[in-house]
């Protein structure tokens, strides 16, 4: 694993597995919480941490969309489908459809 203060190139961050990005973020947070970093290093770590948070959030959102597509089927066996991760889901956080009382 690279030094935690080394900036992460965007293409490397995109390819980084979620677990690795989260582990690196946790390491940065622990280091920053010591309160013993020079301000310049603290800001550099904060910027790296912000990019890691955004990458983790993006990976989780993409997985959530895949799960939505898999579970929103017609009762048959679900199937993975390709989708545009940047397109918001119209059913995300939507209440369940109401059923008629009879």
């Amino acid at each position: 694993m690279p030094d935690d203060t080394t900036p992460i190139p965007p293409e490397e961050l995109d390819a980084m597995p979620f677990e690795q990005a989260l582990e690196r973020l946790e390491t940065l947070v622990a280091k920053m919480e010591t309160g013993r970093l020079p301000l310049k290093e603290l800001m550099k770590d904060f910027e790296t941490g912000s990019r890691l948070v955004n990458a983790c959030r993006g990976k989780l959102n993409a997985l959530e969309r895949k799960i939505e597509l898999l579970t929103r089927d017609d009762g048959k066996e679900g199937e993975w489908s390709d989708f545009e991760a940047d397109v918001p889901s119209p059913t995300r956080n939507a209440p369940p459809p109401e059923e008629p009382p009879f």
Side-chain angles (χ1 to χ4, degrees), residues 16-31:
M16 186 180 290
F18 173 82
E19 295 80 5
Q20 184 180 352
L22 184 61
E23 181 180 333
R24 186 154 177 193
L25 178 61
E26 289 171 343
T27 300
L28 276 175
V29 169
K31 186 171 109 178

Side-chain angles (χ1 to χ4, degrees), residues 77-98:
E77 185 175 331
E79 187 174 303
W80 290 106
S81 302
D82 288 334
F83 66 93
E84 296 294 324
D86 297 335
V87 178
S89 169
T91 60
R92 180 174 289 156
N93 298 324
E98 292 185 27

